Amino acid sequence: MEPLHARYPFLARSREAVEAAAVDLGEIVATDETVTARALERVESAITDGTVGEPHRRTRVELLSYPVARVLVSLVDVHICTRKYAQAEAEAAYDRFTEEFETTTELKSTQRETLDRTELLAEFDLASAVSDAGDGYRVEVGAYLDLAADQRGDSWRLVNRPLADGEVRVTAEELNVLLKQAIRHRVTDGLPFTVPDAIADELTEEVDRLEEVLSELELTREIDTVVPELFPPCMKSLLDQVQKGEHLEHHSRFAIATFLVGIGMTTDEIVDLFQVNPGFGEEATRYQVDHIRGDTSPTEYSTPACSTMQSYGDCVNMDDLCEAISHPMGYYEQKLDDTDEEELVDWREDEGDEEADA
Amino acid sequence: MEERTRAYLRGRFGDHYRQASVTPPPAANEREWGFIPWTEGPGETMVRHRSLLDLGEIEDFLGRRKPRHVYFSAGRYDEPSASTMSDKGWRSSDLVFDLDADHLPSVVLGEDSYAEMLAKCKDALLRLLDFLEEDFGFDDLTVVFSGGRGYHVHVRDERIRHLERDARREIVDYVRGIGLEFDELVDEESVAGTAGRSSPAQKRTLSTEGGWSARAHRHMLAVVDDLLAMEEADALDRLQEYDGIGEGKATAALNAARSNYEQLEAGNIDVHPAFYQLAKILLHEVVAADNAPIDEPVTTDTNRLIRLPGSLHGGSGLEVQRIDREDIDAFDPLVDPVPETFRGHDITVEVTDGGLVELDGDSFTLEAGNQTVPEHVGVFLMARGRAEKGKE
Ligand code: SF4
């Protein structure tokens, strides 16, 4: 196990080093407090401040804490935790390799082994997709899109790039950002996986700790945020029809109303929203919404599951995420989790702003 | 559609399939297949989630089942016949583009004839191919006439088959010119203060290397060339037709263009503020003129079913036809896809919805009632629901 492995634990050769050392993960988590503590720190810091914390001074501990951290993330099995963790690992690696790339070109020290760009590109099968263009690089469009499609900012959009003969021009700095994304994909790959009980049992304390951290931060975002762009396709379509003033059948109307109640809209807000539609009298709407809410009835009604939506023909425009969920609410929760906090604009706040401006 | 019409069409589709040769797409056995039979009653039910194993050899299947429409998936799967997408095990998808006259902004529905719509569609196809070949550098393109109102392009380049929805949306946005930002296209570079200026200045250039910036650059130069070839007064008038360009700016932009032509050729558009403003306007023009208005969901949906080239379109009786790259210019969508089977003899149909039909180089103005027409015209009318089979 070399220092380079510990700095870049996601590399194939680092994993091989762990394998070659024939360490038994079960034994490590049972006996090696230092490794589990460092693993916990990796994940905890990822959640709280987007870093993986200070590396442990012992190469062995630092390197082994990586597979253990992955075990922890798998046990916690919360989407946002996995995402934050992969992001933090990628950031840490990015800081290291950008620094090392510079040292390699300037004053090459033979003190320690460093990672160069060529090796990193080869690691992610990008060797043939990226070529040197003198003052920057050319990246094959397929590889570029893999790594740039979820970058934020107009400058990453393919439409704003000089694309010629299947290659996209990028600067050296941009290529580093793309490599960071490749690392993030690598870390995310295979997470979460199934952890044998024997290992899980040794890590209950650490998992509890992480769950506590997650709940303290309220990272699992409250569902009562109204962001129509993130609505499941069925609800988008129903809302659309409501706003176009189209007639909705009872079950459709029930579905959209329960959904809106479920995500925390008040009766007044829903009445306002439905008002544009002459088919929805205020009184009737108010009554129905209160009824759903359980104010005027003993039962609190919840949004129908996808199977019910399907049998009523309210399930439309299914997308990839639909394949993975069974309830429109689950769809929305997942979407909220996937979206960064800063990007979420609650509809009601948005409307408020407009009014304030006017 | 009456039963006798349906039976007739089904029979004739079968006759056609028995002699036609249909080449399946590559990796046909990894794809999902679907078809719509000639069933009775309203609404068409698609039979889908079939693998080639379920259907059998494709030509044999077509001759036997004589389907009304046939599709295969852009996606390739571990288990193409599994009934849900998650059980199918997605491997990769062709990148598919659909140009449909119904979605073209230049088409005036209800006003343009079928032939006019198809002609506009072909223009859009050529623009699309320019993006795919020049910008994206794809060389494995399959161009297909859809049998209806448009064209499909299938790209099976290995380097893009694994792309997921978000990445495909970027490709859609690219060819449609969506999200194009002038400020992003322009490279800014600080240059040392030129004579008369003390502080370093910005030099803003359009990359001539490729992409929308090269398109914008080409368009800009073409406009400049036109302007410089005109009489001064005409050029100034022309410039003032642009929004926000008055006489002063027109004069300044024109002079700047004249005295800095080489700079412009090299991509520098910072020759004068008025010219810079003009360049920005021209970008909008180029997007409007060059973009290819493809139907977005077809391209982003990695599980999409697409019509099988070589099959017949059940809504027109025309062949869904592969077109060789070099034959596109000469391709006539109202002649070439007319199946040989339906040529050369007449049938009687009961026209319900008359009017103009242009097909196979001929045109017919039909009145309602019993008419004797060439079979391909009859099939076209019946498939479109404009006629029933004449009673024998
Ligand atoms: S699958 Fe569920 S969430 Fe998706 S559109 Fe259908 S009902 Fe809505």
Side-chain angles (χ1 to χ4, degrees):
Chain A
M1 294 185 203
E2 296 159 25
L4 182 104
H5 299 148
R7 288 204 304 283
Y8 303 105
F10 52 83
L11 296 179
R13 56 193 266 209
S14 309
R15 199 176 61 213
E16 282 157 19
V18 173
E19 277 163 13
V23 273
D24 175 2
L25 220 52
E27 202 180 309
I28 299 272
V29 297
T31 60
D32 201 332
E33 277 296 323
T34 353
V35 172
T36 33
R38 172 68 188 122
L40 175 63
E41 189 195 6
R42 278 190 114 98
V43 187
E44 193 174 330
S45 313
I47 301 168
T48 53
D49 66 353
T51 71
V52 291
E54 280 303 307
H56 196 277
R57 56 193 167 76
R58 281 181 56 204
T59 299
R60 180 175 180 280
V61 173
E62 182 64 8
L63 176 56
L64 290 180
S65 69
Y66 176 76
V68 177
R70 289 176 61 87
V71 170
L72 288 175
V73 170
S74 298
L75 288 170
V76 171
D77 191 12
V78 174
H79 187 75
I80 187 123
C81 174
T82 313
R83 196 170 62 87
K84 291 239 168 202
Y85 172 69
Q87 180 68 35
E89 288 286 357
E91 290 294 346
Y94 173 79
D95 290 345
R96 291 172 193 162
F97 77 68
T98 43
E99 197 198 315
E100 287 178 22
F101 286 179
E102 272 159 35
T103 13
T104 353
T105 46
E106 285 157 21
L107 36 137
K108 182 148 185 159
S109 96
T110 43
Q111 303 284 325
R112 59 172 196 178
E113 200 192 347
T114 58
L115 193 64
D116 64 20
R117 189 175 272 120
T118 318
E119 184 182 352
L120 205 49
L121 287 171
E123 174 78 25
F124 296 113
D125 282 334
L126 292 169
S128 65
V130 176
S131 57
D132 203 319
D135 60 339
Y137 294 84
R138 287 180 218 278
V139 184
E140 269 179 16
V141 64
Y144 176 84
L145 288 176
D146 271 336
L147 301 172
D150 53 3
Q151 302 283 357
R152 256 183 273 160
D154 287 339
S155 66
W156 289 105
R157 302 279 72 82
L158 188 62
V159 74
N160 290 319
R161 293 270 163 175
L163 168 66
D165 209 20
E167 293 183 318
V168 184
R169 271 279 218 160
V170 299
T171 63
E173 294 75 41
E174 286 169 336
L175 182 59
N176 290 348
V177 175
L178 295 178
L179 281 169
K180 175 167 80 176
Q181 187 70 0
I183 295 171
R184 191 175 149 185
H185 288 170
R186 167 71 59 87
V187 176
T188 314
D189 234 19
L191 282 181
F193 48 80
T194 331
V195 179
D197 288 347
I199 295 182
D201 291 345
E202 295 292 342
L203 294 170
T204 46
E205 258 175 54
E206 285 78 5
V207 171
D208 285 350
R209 170 73 196 139
L210 289 172
E211 276 165 357
E212 201 183 307
V213 176
L214 281 166
S215 67
E216 270 168 24
L217 282 182
E218 283 180 49
L219 281 173
T220 17
R221 200 168 296 110
E222 289 300 326
I223 191 85
D224 58 0
T225 318
V226 184
V227 190
E229 304 91 81
L230 306 182
F231 283 8
C234 48
M235 297 301 167
K236 261 191 204 152
S237 145
L238 288 177
L239 187 61
D240 211 46
Q241 294 174 47
V242 168
Q243 300 198 306
K244 279 194 198 133
E246 278 163 27
H247 171 76
L248 287 195
E249 297 209 29
H250 178 77
H251 53 82
S252 309
R253 188 172 153 151
F254 176 81
I256 181 73
T258 46
F259 180 79
L260 295 174
V261 168
I263 63 173
M265 284 182 75
T266 64
T267 305
D268 282 342
E269 284 165 351
I270 298 175
V271 167
D272 271 358
L273 185 64
F274 280 26
Q275 205 95 87
V276 291
N277 191 324
F280 297 82
E282 167 163 358
E283 272 320 300
T285 307
R286 188 173 293 281
Y287 177 78
Q288 188 183 23
V289 174
D290 282 340
H291 190 72
I292 286 168
R293 202 182 285 291
D295 287 356
T296 56
S297 73
T299 345
E300 194 179 326
Y301 291 90
S302 52
T303 315
C306 295
S307 50
T308 315
M309 297 285 289
Q310 275 150 13
S311 55
Y312 277 120
D314 283 333
C315 167
V316 292
N317 308 329
M318 279 177 71
D319 61 18
D320 293 348
L321 182 52
C322 284
E323 299 284 344
I325 49 91
S326 59
H327 200 285
M329 218 50 132
Y331 182 104
Y332 188 56
E333 278 170 36
Q334 180 87 56
K335 276 276 180 176
L336 283 175
D337 275 355
D338 283 353
T339 311
D340 276 307
E341 193 108 34
E342 317 88 68
E343 284 178 26
L344 291 177
V345 181
D346 193 298
W347 198 14
R348 295 164 297 185
E349 290 162 23
D350 203 24
E351 302 240 305
D353 284 353
E354 270 166 34
E355 272 167 24
D357 285 343
Chain B
M1 186 179 289
E2 306 273 347
E3 180 51 38
R4 63 175 192 282
T5 308
R6 191 161 31 241
Y8 179 81
L9 288 175
R10 181 165 187 269
R12 291 301 283 152
F13 271 41
D15 295 340
H16 171 80
Y17 282 132
R18 272 189 294 279
Q19 26 178 302
S21 86
V22 175
T23 325
N29 53 354
E30 295 169 33
R31 300 178 190 267
E32 176 191 347
W33 291 76
F35 62 95
I36 298 179
W38 293 95
T39 37
E40 288 172 60
E44 304 179 327
T45 341
M46 163 128 53
V47 180
R48 57 179 301 183
H49 305 304
R50 294 292 185 272
S51 70
L52 218 47
L53 270 180
D54 305 325
L55 301 188
E57 207 272 311
I58 196 68
E59 285 177 358
D60 179 55
F61 163 80
L62 294 173
R64 207 163 16 90
R65 290 297 297 265
K66 318 172 180 70
R68 186 172 188 170
H69 303 279
V70 193
Y71 309 88
F72 69 94
S73 65
R76 306 180 188 192
Y77 311 93
D78 296 336
E79 290 290 341
S81 58
S83 60
T84 68
M85 291 303 160
S86 38
D87 289 345
K88 275 189 171 41
W90 183 75
R91 290 180 182 166
S92 69
S93 290
D94 304 344
L95 182 64
V96 181
F97 298 91
D98 174 28
L99 281 163
D100 190 313
D102 287 350
H103 294 121
L104 296 188
S106 58
V107 164
V108 193
L109 287 175
E111 222 171 84
D112 286 352
S113 71
Y114 189 48
E116 281 166 333
M117 288 196 271
L118 285 168
K120 288 180 180 174
C121 223
K122 197 153 108 182
D123 291 342
L125 171 68
L126 293 171
R127 297 199 298 273
L128 173 65
L129 292 175
D130 191 50
F131 283 112
L132 299 182
E133 291 170 338
E134 300 305 319
D135 298 31
F136 286 89
F138 295 139
D139 39 24
D140 178 20
L141 301 180
T142 309
V143 179
V144 178
F145 171 62
S146 74
R149 297 161 177 255
Y151 296 89
H152 298 160
V153 180
H154 304 241
V155 182
R156 304 198 167 103
D157 190 312
E158 226 178 308
R159 292 164 302 180
I160 46 88
R161 282 215 309 259
H162 64 283
L163 290 179
E164 300 192 16
R165 183 184 287 262
D166 287 351
R168 287 171 198 247
R169 179 160 302 122
E170 287 283 293
I171 297 178
V172 171
D173 287 353
Y174 188 92
V175 303
R176 295 183 58 178
I178 293 172
L180 200 63
E181 294 288 336
F182 187 70
D183 294 338
E184 294 296 346
L185 282 195
V186 170
D187 281 333
E188 275 194 40
E189 197 184 319
S190 296
V191 288
T194 36
R197 284 197 205 157
S198 48
S199 59
Q202 294 296 319
K203 183 178 144 200
R204 290 173 291 191
T205 56
L206 279 174
S207 161
T208 56
E209 194 178 349
W212 278 100
S213 62
R215 281 167 199 275
H217 180 252
R218 280 199 300 271
H219 178 58
M220 176 194 85
L221 273 192
V223 170
V224 166
D225 287 344
D226 276 358
L227 288 169
L228 294 182
M230 287 181 199
E231 292 290 329
E232 170 106 10
D234 294 342
L236 290 177
D237 283 349
R238 168 85 169 277
L239 278 168
Q240 286 172 66
E241 284 168 19
Y242 291 112
D243 256 0
I245 307 267
E247 202 182 333
K249 281 184 183 169
T251 317
L254 191 62
N255 287 337
R258 190 175 291 127
S259 46
N260 297 286
Y261 189 79
E262 276 173 23
Q263 294 268 357
L264 292 181
E265 259 184 324
N268 180 11
I269 48 173
D270 231 348
V271 295
H272 189 280
F275 189 86
Y276 188 76
Q277 189 183 341
L278 174 67
K280 210 165 176 166
I281 299 171
L282 294 178
L283 173 72
H284 292 289
E285 278 188 357
V286 83
V287 173
D290 277 12
N291 91 86
I294 52 166
D295 189 18
E296 153 153 9
V298 177
T299 305
T300 52
D301 183 353
T302 49
N303 297 318
R304 193 80 178 192
L305 295 183
I306 326 283
R307 263 177 210 288
L308 174 67
S311 66
L312 297 181
H313 187 304
S316 68
L318 295 175
E319 188 183 316
V320 181
Q321 202 167 50
R322 281 196 191 85
I323 316 167
D324 285 342
R325 182 64 182 93
E326 61 275 16
D327 297 338
I328 293 175
D329 279 333
F331 180 78
D332 185 337
L334 293 179
V335 176
D336 299 310
V338 173
E340 232 11 82
T341 323
F342 305 153
R343 276 194 173 120
H345 42 266
D346 291 347
I347 56 167
T348 312
V349 290
E350 220 178 277
V351 177
T352 49
D353 178 9
L356 180 73
V357 177
E358 296 166 276
L359 218 52
D360 213 12
D362 213 340
S363 78
F364 307 79
T365 306
L366 297 167
E367 315 240 316
N370 279 331
Q371 306 283 350
T372 300
V373 291
E375 186 179 20
H376 59 265
V377 174
V379 168
F380 178 82
L381 288 170
M382 290 186 281
R384 297 194 80 74
R386 292 173 59 184
E388 297 289 347
K389 180 71 183 67
K391 297 195 182 82
E392 302 297 322

